Amino acid sequence: MQSSEFKATDGDAYELQMGRWSRRLAERFVEFADVAVGDVVLDLGCGTGSLARTLAQRTTARQIRGVDFSPVYVEYARRQNTDTRVDFQVGDACALPFPEASFDRVLSLLMLHFVPQTDRAISEMRRVGRPGAIVAAAVWDARGGVVAHRMFSDTAAAIDARADAFRARQCTRPMSRPGELEAAWSRAGLQEISQTLLSIRMEFSCFEDYWGPYVGGQGPAAEYVAGLDTEPRVTLKEHVRRAYLDGEADGPRSYAASAWAVRGVVPR
């Protein structure tokens, strides 16, 4: 079974699709993870490097290792990195290439909901954490927490019966609903578990800025759009445009986005 369901082929396209928002969320997540002086940190599912760069900028971690399933994203992250404490490599979340008890913090941002064997990945996160290490993750609240995404998927489902299955899959991805992360951390045997909600704003300069990620080829929504013929794609774009305009002229819009976050401690 493949360890990631996320289509990852273009680092620049991902930055437009999600990287700009994961950087904002990373700031909140780093505070929640409480990285300490001299920590050795794993960024699991590092993507194009948003969390790793935030860790380098905002903490005094001694070493930061980023791992991602996509060689394309790893190469992108390497090109953007200038901090000698940070290293990126290709790896599988369900079979991490590290010995037991390698890290003081094991972190994952916006990745676990794309892993079919989620419990296996979480078990690996615990395995590579030292006794007393903090293991933490954050995942978008897919059903109601990301207004911009729901606007697209609800519009698509209203005009295309095939989009019902797409929307249902997005709203029910693992670890994206209340209590799921907390329960998974408990099953993994982590202790001192706490869960919270992290919120940011997603801001767009105009409709084309909002629409661009949906034709960039990265992630499930872009895959759905790419599978449409020309006429249905034009129709979808027009209906989504109306939803974005919402009775006003084209221009900036700002939408709330929230993610569930959990942290726990590897038993000593």
Side-chain angles (χ1 to χ4, degrees), residues 60-128:
T60 53
R62 177 165 56 88
Q63 185 180 34
I64 302 160
R65 304 290 298 272
V67 172
D68 199 87
F69 197 68
S70 168
V72 174
Y73 286 1
V74 167
E75 180 57 33
Y76 184 97
R78 286 173 176 164
R79 291 199 306 269
Q80 304 302 311
N81 180 51
T82 59
D83 195 307
T84 57
R85 295 173 298 160
V86 182
D87 176 68
F88 296 101
Q89 68 184 85
V90 176
D92 185 338
C94 295
L96 290 173
F98 306 111
E100 293 183 10
S102 295
F103 297 95
D104 302 296
R105 296 290 186 277
V106 182
L107 311 180
S108 177
L109 181 66
L110 303 180
M111 184 275 289
L112 285 176
H113 53 317
F114 290 112
V115 179
Q117 301 177 81
T118 309
D119 281 347
R120 183 171 175 181
I122 296 168
S123 177
E124 279 290 275
M125 293 175 73
R126 174 188 164 163
R127 181 185 68 79
V128 300

Side-chain angles (χ1 to χ4, degrees), residues 72-256:
V72 174
Y73 286 1
V74 167
E75 180 57 33
Y76 184 97
R78 286 173 176 164
R79 291 199 306 269
Q80 304 302 311
N81 180 51
T82 59
D83 195 307
T84 57
R85 295 173 298 160
V86 182
D87 176 68
F88 296 101
Q89 68 184 85
V90 176
D92 185 338
C94 295
L96 290 173
F98 306 111
E100 293 183 10
S102 295
F103 297 95
D104 302 296
R105 296 290 186 277
V106 182
L107 311 180
S108 177
L109 181 66
L110 303 180
M111 184 275 289
L112 285 176
H113 53 317
F114 290 112
V115 179
Q117 301 177 81
T118 309
D119 281 347
R120 183 171 175 181
I122 296 168
S123 177
E124 279 290 275
M125 293 175 73
R126 174 188 164 163
R127 181 185 68 79
V128 300
R130 294 169 180 156
I134 287 179
V135 178
V139 172
W140 290 124
D141 175 4
R143 173 159 284 159
V146 187
V147 175
H149 292 179
R150 281 306 300 260
M151 185 168 69
F152 171 85
S153 61
D154 287 351
T155 301
I159 63 174
D160 180 8
R162 295 169 297 175
D164 275 338
F166 158 75
R167 179 177 60 175
R169 180 67 180 125
Q170 300 318 298
C171 289
T172 57
R173 285 194 176 276
M175 306 295 113
S176 66
R177 289 172 289 182
E180 285 188 307
L181 280 170
E182 190 173 18
W185 256 233
S186 180
R187 289 195 301 272
L190 294 159
Q191 300 177 345
E192 302 175 43
I193 299 168
S194 61
Q195 181 173 283
T196 191
L197 199 64
L198 307 176
S199 296
I200 63 167
R201 303 292 298 189
M202 289 182 169
E203 290 152 352
F204 303 91
S205 60
C206 61
F207 173 68
E208 289 300 330
D209 184 34
Y210 172 85
W211 178 254
Y214 294 109
V215 293
Q218 306 303 290
E223 286 188 75
Y224 164 74
V225 173
L228 296 173
D229 292 334
T230 300
E231 185 175 343
R233 192 181 309 174
V234 171
T235 299
L236 173 63
K237 181 178 180 180
E238 176 57 23
H239 281 275
V240 173
R241 188 185 70 85
R242 292 177 187 175
Y244 178 90
L245 297 183
D246 199 21
E248 295 188 336
D250 194 7
R253 298 290 190 273
S254 178
Y255 303 108

